Amino acid sequence: MEEFRSVRGFHDLLGEDTEKFNTVRQTVRRVLESHNFEEIILPVVEYAEVFQRSIGEATDIVQKEMFVFPDKKGRLLALRPEGTAGVVRAFIQHRLFALRPYTKLFYEGPMFRYERPQAGRYRQFHQVGAEVFGISDPLVDAEIINISYKILKELKIDCTVEINSIGCRVCRPDYRKALTEYLESVAGALCEDCIDRKDRNPLRVLDCKVPACKTAVKEAPRIGDFLCEECEKHRRELTDYLNSMGIPYVENPNLVRGLDYYTRTVFEMVSQELGITVIAGGRYDYLVEEMGGAPTPAVGFAVGVERLAMLVKEPVQKKPLYMVLPMGDTLHYALRVCELLRESGKRVELSYRKGGLKKQLELANRLRADYAVIVGEDEVKEENISVKNLHTGEQIKVSLKDIFSAVL
Ligand code: HAM
């Protein structure tokens, strides 16, 4: 029979890849918890409208990349392509705005986008993301960028921090008009997608990867020249904070992001090694209101776990492995030894195979154990264990009653 394969774009993670993946997750969680973010565990499925309304009808994600399906009553559901929309839905649904003066949440889990798979781009991928609701001060934008920067530093990953402001309801319409006019004038040079985008979502033309489009937008009007006084002040204060926090950044006037909900600050951390964005986020001051809640400023970011895992050189080391090897009729004693070692905090495996010392040691080596704990009939009689360091060959005897205090 032909064997089954995983679905295109959906991957198994094994061995060292899993270790790197968990190193990223745990690092992000640790940094977020140190900034007092609380976890929210969200469903993987939402009504499709939650994403259509938030991410935007005219975005690639909603137009082309969502896994959408009807439930048995014909309501349209979607596998979540990102986390922010679900957090906003929950924030409103559970009236979280009434509980605290402001709210700091984080989430993690799989996201789904029907994109063309390639290195670092999957149809199921994982994010850890964080959102702050209720504060419009650029200090929070700076904190979010600082957290992202710290995550990269802790993981020893080199990235460029790119920032931009994409304005607000006051100033963006004028910019959009100027940009659309400009794009009309260079329409002949744009790719087919951008011809379509220039009317429906002109800002997206600015980060099209097609070389002809890149050249065509070089002379395009820049949002920075159109910012209203408030947006300009926000941008200036943010850069002041980043300077005083010692975070290096570049201002990229073409950074616009692929989701429609952003206002003012947008940012991305771009790996020079892979040439892809690994962390991204920004401010979205109108989204809560647009989803039916009271006007609430918000800002957040999300980490692409697989993308960072690709850049992790050394995953967090696992604890050394102690392999307990029962010889002869010592299994019950060996089981007790295993539990005592585990209670003292060790990673322990019991050999399931029978056989003499040579065979058992060979097995311990093949399972990459660091120590063999030899349990023979002598050990049972003397109430001790023999611990052999499999790297150095050194062997010591430890009495059972000293197992918690012994340095093994
Ligand atoms: P995003 O830029 O769409 O933003 O995704 C954030 C990160 O998820 C990306 O930088 C990337 O690392 C990872 N990612 C996205 N798509 C894929 C894929 N197909 N395969 C692998 N990794 C991927 C958001 O999702 C926003 N919700 C971020 C945010 C939170 N903004 C404010 N709050």
Side-chain angles (χ1 to χ4, degrees):
M1 201 173 82
E2 199 189 329
E3 66 179 35
F4 288 115
R5 317 261 318 160
S6 62
V7 175
R8 184 165 140 85
F10 290 70
H11 292 281
D12 303 312
L13 275 180
L14 309 159
E16 190 172 314
D17 288 341
T18 309
E19 281 171 31
K20 290 183 172 176
F21 184 94
N22 282 329
T23 301
V24 173
R25 282 184 48 228
Q26 281 153 10
T27 305
V28 180
R29 292 181 68 102
R30 188 159 24 79
V31 175
L32 286 169
E33 277 162 2
S34 79
H35 282 251
N36 197 32
F37 280 76
E38 239 176 67
E39 184 166 14
I40 177 167
I41 299 174
L42 295 163
V44 170
V45 170
E46 299 273 355
Y47 289 114
E49 220 189 319
V50 168
F51 303 114
Q52 287 156 352
R53 265 230 246 148
S54 55
I55 297 169
E57 286 286 359
T59 58
D60 283 354
I61 297 181
V62 167
Q63 292 250 313
K64 307 183 198 158
E65 296 169 4
M66 276 217 294
F67 285 87
V68 178
F69 53 97
D71 70 6
K72 290 200 172 165
K73 292 197 171 139
R75 284 171 301 204
L76 218 50
L77 308 180
L79 295 182
R80 62 180 180 193
E82 57 110 51
T84 309
V87 181
V88 171
R89 194 262 313 132
F91 178 78
I92 300 167
Q93 179 175 340
H94 304 291
R95 307 281 181 269
L96 297 184
F97 46 84
L99 294 184
R100 305 235 166 98
Y102 53 85
T103 309
K104 294 163 71 165
L105 298 170
F106 81 93
Y107 53 88
E108 70 164 310
M111 308 289 158
F112 305 87
R113 295 185 193 176
Y114 202 96
E115 294 192 80
R116 203 144 58 82
Q118 59 182 53
R121 200 206 277 154
Y122 316 106
R123 290 183 175 167
Q124 176 178 318
F125 59 98
H126 295 74
Q127 289 184 344
V128 188
E131 318 288 348
V132 180
F133 295 97
I135 307 279
S136 56
D137 193 318
L139 178 59
V140 187
D141 310 34
E143 185 185 18
I144 288 288
I145 294 173
N146 183 28
I147 290 172
S148 309
Y149 186 68
K150 271 205 286 197
I151 290 167
L152 295 171
K153 246 171 83 183
E154 288 212 10
L155 292 168
K156 301 193 181 77
I157 292 173
D158 252 358
C159 277
T160 311
V161 182
E162 296 189 4
I163 63 168
N164 193 22
S165 171
I166 56 167
C168 67
R169 277 176 187 155
V170 176
C171 50
R172 203 179 314 153
D174 281 348
Y175 174 65
R176 198 183 149 120
K177 192 158 161 267
L179 180 63
T180 311
E181 273 167 23
Y182 171 84
L183 293 174
E184 285 298 344
S185 73
V186 296
L190 299 178
C191 73
E192 230 170 84
D193 278 345
C194 283
I195 299 277
D196 188 41
R197 285 184 190 128
K198 82 176 167 28
D199 301 315
R200 290 189 308 124
N201 203 349
L203 267 70
R204 295 287 298 152
V205 178
L206 295 177
D207 76 345
C208 178
K209 303 284 176 281
V210 175
C213 298
K214 276 188 163 176
T215 314
V217 300
K218 274 210 174 111
E219 303 291 314
R222 296 191 157 186
I223 179 79
D225 299 327
F226 285 75
L227 294 182
C228 63
E229 220 173 283
E230 279 299 303
C231 285
E232 180 50 33
K233 184 165 166 271
H234 192 96
R235 191 198 64 77
R236 214 178 35 245
E237 287 179 10
L238 169 63
T239 51
D240 285 348
Y241 285 128
L242 295 178
N243 291 336
S244 72
M245 289 170 167
I247 299 172
Y249 59 87
V250 290
E251 293 191 72
N252 173 0
N254 287 343
L255 180 64
V256 291
R257 311 275 297 117
L259 307 96
D260 279 355
Y261 48 62
Y262 291 110
T263 48
R264 295 191 172 155
T265 311
V266 289
F267 76 94
E268 291 192 0
M269 310 285 183
V270 184
S271 149
Q272 300 309 322
E273 186 184 327
L274 295 181
I276 53 172
T277 299
V278 292
I279 301 181
R283 182 164 275 288
Y284 48 96
D285 288 344
Y286 307 135
L287 184 57
V288 177
E289 184 185 342
E290 282 166 5
M291 300 270 291
T296 309
V299 55
F301 77 101
V303 167
V305 181
E306 285 86 351
R307 289 192 184 177
L308 283 185
M310 285 165 78
L311 291 159
V312 168
K313 300 277 180 303
E314 294 156 27
V316 171
Q317 288 292 310
K318 279 207 217 153
K319 286 183 178 176
L321 175 61
Y322 288 76
M323 183 105 195
V324 176
L325 310 175
M327 306 291 151
D329 193 16
T330 62
L331 185 62
H332 292 282
Y333 182 83
L335 282 169
R336 218 173 106 213
V337 169
C338 283
E339 288 313 315
L340 285 172
L341 286 169
R342 289 185 185 120
E343 277 168 33
S344 76
K346 308 241 169 340
R347 181 160 67 105
V348 181
E349 166 125 6
L350 172 72
S351 166
Y352 298 135
R353 291 255 171 94
K354 299 225 161 43
L357 185 60
K358 189 160 170 271
K359 228 171 142 190
Q360 293 273 27
L361 284 174
E362 211 177 274
L363 178 75
N365 275 316
R366 285 187 56 203
L367 287 171
R368 305 218 183 106
D370 299 284
Y371 296 91
V373 179
I374 301 158
V375 177
E377 270 150 25
D378 285 351
E379 278 82 3
V380 176
K381 252 189 255 143
E382 293 161 20
E383 285 260 314
N384 61 20
I385 50 177
S386 297
V387 182
K388 185 182 175 78
N389 181 323
L390 294 174
H391 303 290
T392 63
E394 193 189 335
Q395 185 166 325
I396 54 168
K397 280 213 171 188
V398 180
S399 159
L400 266 207
K401 62 178 172 14
D402 296 337
I403 227 167
F404 287 94
S405 54
V407 183
L408 297 178

